[in-house]
PDB file of all heavy atoms in Angstrom:
ATOM      1  N   GLY A 197      41.270 -19.765  -7.456  1.00  0.00           N
ATOM      2  CA  GLY A 197      41.354 -21.202  -7.107  1.00  0.00           C
ATOM      3  C   GLY A 197      40.942 -22.083  -8.244  1.00  0.00           C
ATOM      4  O   GLY A 197      40.445 -21.628  -9.296  1.00  0.00           O
ATOM      5  N   LEU A 198      41.158 -23.359  -8.026  1.00  0.00           N
ATOM      6  CA  LEU A 198      40.798 -24.396  -9.030  1.00  0.00           C
ATOM      7  C   LEU A 198      39.338 -24.367  -9.405  1.00  0.00           C
ATOM      8  O   LEU A 198      38.875 -24.442 -10.624  1.00  0.00           O
ATOM      9  CB  LEU A 198      41.099 -25.758  -8.493  1.00  0.00           C
ATOM     10  CG  LEU A 198      40.949 -26.905  -9.456  1.00  0.00           C
ATOM     11  CD1 LEU A 198      41.898 -26.829 -10.623  1.00  0.00           C
ATOM     12  CD2 LEU A 198      41.267 -28.261  -8.657  1.00  0.00           C
ATOM     13  N   ALA A 199      38.472 -24.067  -8.394  1.00  0.00           N
ATOM     14  CA  ALA A 199      37.024 -24.025  -8.703  1.00  0.00           C
ATOM     15  C   ALA A 199      36.662 -22.935  -9.657  1.00  0.00           C
ATOM     16  O   ALA A 199      35.690 -23.041 -10.417  1.00  0.00           O
ATOM     17  CB  ALA A 199      36.259 -23.893  -7.374  1.00  0.00           C
ATOM     18  N   LEU A 200      37.383 -21.807  -9.610  1.00  0.00           N
ATOM     19  CA  LEU A 200      37.060 -20.683 -10.480  1.00  0.00           C
ATOM     20  C   LEU A 200      37.299 -21.016 -11.915  1.00  0.00           C
ATOM     21  O   LEU A 200      36.427 -20.788 -12.798  1.00  0.00           O
ATOM     22  CB  LEU A 200      37.910 -19.463 -10.185  1.00  0.00           C
ATOM     23  CG  LEU A 200      37.539 -18.218 -10.865  1.00  0.00           C
ATOM     24  CD1 LEU A 200      36.163 -17.697 -10.452  1.00  0.00           C
ATOM     25  CD2 LEU A 200      38.539 -17.088 -10.525  1.00  0.00           C
ATOM     26  N   TRP A 201      38.373 -21.775 -12.209  1.00  0.00           N
ATOM     27  CA  TRP A 201      38.624 -22.221 -13.603  1.00  0.00           C
ATOM     28  C   TRP A 201      37.533 -23.266 -13.994  1.00  0.00           C
ATOM     29  O   TRP A 201      37.077 -23.243 -15.215  1.00  0.00           O
ATOM     30  CB  TRP A 201      39.973 -22.783 -13.729  1.00  0.00           C
ATOM     31  CG  TRP A 201      41.060 -21.822 -13.296  1.00  0.00           C
ATOM     32  CD1 TRP A 201      41.939 -21.928 -12.280  1.00  0.00           C
ATOM     33  CD2 TRP A 201      41.201 -20.482 -13.898  1.00  0.00           C
ATOM     34  NE1 TRP A 201      42.722 -20.737 -12.185  1.00  0.00           N
ATOM     35  CE2 TRP A 201      42.319 -19.897 -13.094  1.00  0.00           C
ATOM     36  CE3 TRP A 201      40.613 -19.755 -14.829  1.00  0.00           C
ATOM     37  CZ2 TRP A 201      42.732 -18.592 -13.428  1.00  0.00           C
ATOM     38  CZ3 TRP A 201      41.007 -18.437 -15.106  1.00  0.00           C
ATOM     39  CH2 TRP A 201      42.102 -17.902 -14.371  1.00  0.00           C
ATOM     40  N   SER A 202      37.175 -24.099 -13.024  1.00  0.00           N
ATOM     41  CA  SER A 202      36.055 -25.047 -13.396  1.00  0.00           C
ATOM     42  C   SER A 202      34.741 -24.320 -13.804  1.00  0.00           C
ATOM     43  O   SER A 202      34.117 -24.665 -14.739  1.00  0.00           O
ATOM     44  CB  SER A 202      35.706 -25.976 -12.216  1.00  0.00           C
ATOM     45  OG  SER A 202      36.887 -26.573 -11.694  1.00  0.00           O
ATOM     46  N   PHE A 203      34.490 -23.248 -13.028  1.00  0.00           N
ATOM     47  CA  PHE A 203      33.314 -22.441 -13.266  1.00  0.00           C
ATOM     48  C   PHE A 203      33.445 -21.747 -14.657  1.00  0.00           C
ATOM     49  O   PHE A 203      32.472 -21.790 -15.467  1.00  0.00           O
ATOM     50  CB  PHE A 203      33.264 -21.252 -12.276  1.00  0.00           C
ATOM     51  CG  PHE A 203      32.232 -21.436 -11.351  1.00  0.00           C
ATOM     52  CD1 PHE A 203      32.333 -21.647  -9.976  1.00  0.00           C
ATOM     53  CD2 PHE A 203      30.850 -21.249 -11.816  1.00  0.00           C
ATOM     54  CE1 PHE A 203      31.333 -21.808  -9.169  1.00  0.00           C
ATOM     55  CE2 PHE A 203      29.800 -21.507 -10.987  1.00  0.00           C
ATOM     56  CZ  PHE A 203      29.994 -21.748  -9.604  1.00  0.00           C
ATOM     57  N   VAL A 204      34.615 -21.208 -15.012  1.00  0.00           N
ATOM     58  CA  VAL A 204      34.747 -20.570 -16.224  1.00  0.00           C
ATOM     59  C   VAL A 204      34.559 -21.481 -17.437  1.00  0.00           C
ATOM     60  O   VAL A 204      33.908 -21.197 -18.328  1.00  0.00           O
ATOM     61  CB  VAL A 204      36.138 -19.920 -16.272  1.00  0.00           C
ATOM     62  CG1 VAL A 204      36.473 -19.371 -17.738  1.00  0.00           C
ATOM     63  CG2 VAL A 204      36.316 -18.781 -15.292  1.00  0.00           C
ATOM     64  N   LEU A 205      35.037 -22.801 -17.224  1.00  0.00           N
ATOM     65  CA  LEU A 205      34.794 -23.776 -18.218  1.00  0.00           C
ATOM     66  C   LEU A 205      33.286 -24.244 -18.277  1.00  0.00           C
ATOM     67  O   LEU A 205      32.888 -24.576 -19.294  1.00  0.00           O
ATOM     68  CB  LEU A 205      35.659 -24.993 -18.015  1.00  0.00           C
ATOM     69  CG  LEU A 205      37.157 -24.867 -18.446  1.00  0.00           C
ATOM     70  CD1 LEU A 205      37.937 -26.101 -17.999  1.00  0.00           C
ATOM     71  CD2 LEU A 205      37.248 -24.774 -19.909  1.00  0.00           C
ATOM     72  N   LEU A 206      32.735 -24.336 -17.111  1.00  0.00           N
ATOM     73  CA  LEU A 206      31.361 -24.820 -17.052  1.00  0.00           C
ATOM     74  C   LEU A 206      30.328 -23.993 -17.830  1.00  0.00           C
ATOM     75  O   LEU A 206      29.394 -24.463 -18.483  1.00  0.00           O
ATOM     76  CB  LEU A 206      30.945 -24.790 -15.542  1.00  0.00           C
ATOM     77  CG  LEU A 206      29.583 -25.398 -15.176  1.00  0.00           C
ATOM     78  CD1 LEU A 206      29.484 -26.819 -15.671  1.00  0.00           C
ATOM     79  CD2 LEU A 206      29.422 -25.477 -13.669  1.00  0.00           C
ATOM     80  N   ILE A 207      30.575 -22.678 -17.976  1.00  0.00           N
ATOM     81  CA  ILE A 207      29.744 -21.811 -18.685  1.00  0.00           C
ATOM     82  C   ILE A 207      29.559 -22.194 -20.168  1.00  0.00           C
ATOM     83  O   ILE A 207      28.346 -22.481 -20.597  1.00  0.00           O
ATOM     84  CB  ILE A 207      30.071 -20.338 -18.439  1.00  0.00           C
ATOM     85  CG1 ILE A 207      29.848 -19.992 -17.013  1.00  0.00           C
ATOM     86  CG2 ILE A 207      29.178 -19.404 -19.350  1.00  0.00           C
ATOM     87  CD1 ILE A 207      30.580 -18.805 -16.593  1.00  0.00           C
ATOM     88  N   PRO A 208      30.620 -22.208 -20.958  1.00  0.00           N
ATOM     89  CA  PRO A 208      30.411 -22.637 -22.357  1.00  0.00           C
ATOM     90  C   PRO A 208      29.919 -24.115 -22.530  1.00  0.00           C
ATOM     91  O   PRO A 208      29.121 -24.369 -23.417  1.00  0.00           O
ATOM     92  CB  PRO A 208      31.806 -22.593 -22.984  1.00  0.00           C
ATOM     93  CG  PRO A 208      32.738 -22.448 -21.840  1.00  0.00           C
ATOM     94  CD  PRO A 208      32.070 -21.885 -20.743  1.00  0.00           C
ATOM     95  N   VAL A 209      30.320 -24.963 -21.562  1.00  0.00           N
ATOM     96  CA  VAL A 209      29.865 -26.339 -21.550  1.00  0.00           C
ATOM     97  C   VAL A 209      28.324 -26.482 -21.424  1.00  0.00           C
ATOM     98  O   VAL A 209      27.658 -27.065 -22.116  1.00  0.00           O
ATOM     99  CB  VAL A 209      30.669 -27.200 -20.525  1.00  0.00           C
ATOM    100  CG1 VAL A 209      29.930 -28.627 -20.349  1.00  0.00           C
ATOM    101  CG2 VAL A 209      32.038 -27.364 -21.016  1.00  0.00           C
ATOM    102  N   LEU A 210      27.832 -25.740 -20.445  1.00  0.00           N
ATOM    103  CA  LEU A 210      26.438 -25.742 -20.183  1.00  0.00           C
ATOM    104  C   LEU A 210      25.615 -25.040 -21.332  1.00  0.00           C
ATOM    105  O   LEU A 210      24.576 -25.561 -21.719  1.00  0.00           O
ATOM    106  CB  LEU A 210      26.008 -24.948 -18.890  1.00  0.00           C
ATOM    107  CG  LEU A 210      26.004 -25.794 -17.597  1.00  0.00           C
ATOM    108  CD1 LEU A 210      25.613 -24.865 -16.449  1.00  0.00           C
ATOM    109  CD2 LEU A 210      25.277 -27.003 -17.714  1.00  0.00           C
ATOM    110  N   ALA A 211      26.243 -23.936 -21.833  1.00  0.00           N
ATOM    111  CA  ALA A 211      25.626 -23.345 -22.942  1.00  0.00           C
ATOM    112  C   ALA A 211      25.488 -24.277 -24.156  1.00  0.00           C
ATOM    113  O   ALA A 211      24.484 -24.305 -24.820  1.00  0.00           O
ATOM    114  CB  ALA A 211      26.298 -22.035 -23.308  1.00  0.00           C
TER     115      ALA A 211
END
Side-chain angles (χ1 to χ4, degrees):
Chain A
L198 185 59
L200 188 63
W201 303 120
S202 312
F203 249 115
V204 171
L205 280 175
L206 187 52
I207 293 160
V209 166
L210 274 188

